[in-house]
Amino acid sequence: MTSKSQADIAMPALRQLLPALPNLTTIQVLHCNKAGDVGAAVIGLRLPSVRTVIVPTKCNCILKACPNVTHVRCAGGDGAALISALKFCDDVQILDGMIDWSYKDIMTRLLKNAPKLHTLEIRRPVKSFRFETRITAPAIWAEVIPQLSKLPELRTIKLSFPGRETSSDSASIEAARKVLRNSRVTRERKLIIRRVFAPHNTNSQWEDVVEDYRQELFY
């Protein structure tokens, strides 16, 4: 977790610490107020042992230091800059977290920067903003999901819906089914449908319920 408090002390210490951990496999940033401080701390570093990175999109600079990462999770923001930063990693296989798939050209960036991807979660960002237009509309998913057929190794798609079923959900589910059914991947293909009811989701009518419903379909 980074903050404005004593960043001039914490960030240089972090820069010295990271290279001294040869067995470090996971980096997780819980919160970041000043992404520039993080960028300054990791610039020029190379952390080849790191395999998993869980960061807000504003901390995408960390991926530049972790060329061998295989699992990336977006822990905040729209995810656009994080997907652009995947180009610095040679073998990203799993991408999950809350990404705004309505962002312009975001799927095109994914196809270009993570060609070895085999597992993808499409999940709606949950934000507390009053303006609903700043929250992804799942209806757009049905338009971008067909592009996933261009990922030659994709075998698992996870669709995480923020609440009870809506009319737009079925179109997204069917689009994902079609991608997997037409895939040339010889290994088992899996579609996972999750419905998450969370009290911090301002769009939910069931704010006092926290539930994770999972349905798995195999092909």
Side-chain angles (χ1 to χ4, degrees):
M1 179 177 294
T2 65
S3 69
K4 297 179 181 179
S5 176
Q6 297 184 320
D8 57 330
I9 297 176
M11 293 298 103
L14 179 65
R15 182 175 178 82
Q16 294 181 0
L17 174 65
L18 290 175
L21 301 172
N23 296 321
L24 180 67
T25 61
T26 302
I27 293 179
Q28 180 174 9
V29 176
L30 299 179
H31 181 70
C32 177
N33 282 332
K34 297 183 67 177
D37 290 340
V38 177
V42 301
I43 189 171
L45 291 184
R46 187 174 177 84
L47 307 171
S49 64
V50 176
R51 295 292 185 271
T52 301
V53 170
I54 305 170
V55 294
T57 192
K58 65 171 62 176
C59 290
N60 63 85
C61 55
I62 290 177
L63 290 182
K64 296 181 181 181
C66 306
N68 297 324
V69 160
T70 60
H71 182 183
V72 176
R73 175 174 297 167
C74 181
D78 58 29
L82 192 63
I83 287 183
S84 293
L86 295 179
K87 64 185 178 183
F88 298 108
C89 306
D90 298 325
D91 194 27
V92 176
Q93 301 174 16
I94 302 172
L95 175 66
D96 53 25
M98 296 176 287
I99 296 172
D100 186 348
W101 294 102
S102 67
Y103 195 92
K104 183 180 180 181
D105 298 331
I106 196 168
M107 186 60 74
T108 301
R109 298 185 207 179
L110 175 67
L111 300 177
K112 179 180 178 180
N113 297 332
K116 298 180 181 179
L117 201 69
H118 67 62
T119 298
L120 172 66
E121 178 184 29
I122 296 183
R123 182 175 181 179
R124 176 176 173 176
V126 177
K127 302 178 182 178
S128 59
F129 296 120
R130 291 176 297 172
F131 303 100
E132 297 300 316
T133 54
R134 301 178 73 178
I135 302 179
T136 306
I140 196 69
W141 294 358
E143 299 178 21
V144 300
I145 287 175
Q147 299 179 52
L148 296 176
S149 61
K150 298 176 183 178
L151 289 172
E153 299 183 31
L154 187 68
R155 59 178 182 266
T156 299
I157 300 176
K158 302 178 182 179
L159 301 180
S160 295
F161 296 102
R164 301 196 185 280
E165 185 173 357
T166 66
S167 58
S168 65
D169 295 355
S170 58
S172 298
I173 293 171
E174 185 56 35
R177 279 194 178 118
K178 186 175 182 179
V179 168
L180 292 174
R181 284 172 178 165
N182 295 336
S183 172
R184 296 184 180 180
V185 175
T186 56
R187 301 181 62 175
E188 181 181 69
R189 288 154 284 163
K190 186 181 347 181
L191 171 60
I192 299 175
I193 302 168
R194 301 172 65 242
R195 298 198 178 277
V196 182
F197 305 92
H200 56 282
N201 183 348
T202 56
N203 285 342
S204 176
Q205 299 177 17
W206 304 273
E207 294 187 353
D208 58 339
V209 178
V210 179
E211 180 181 344
D212 185 342
Y213 163 77
R214 181 185 297 261
Q215 177 184 358
E216 297 190 17
L217 307 173
F218 301 91
Y219 298 91

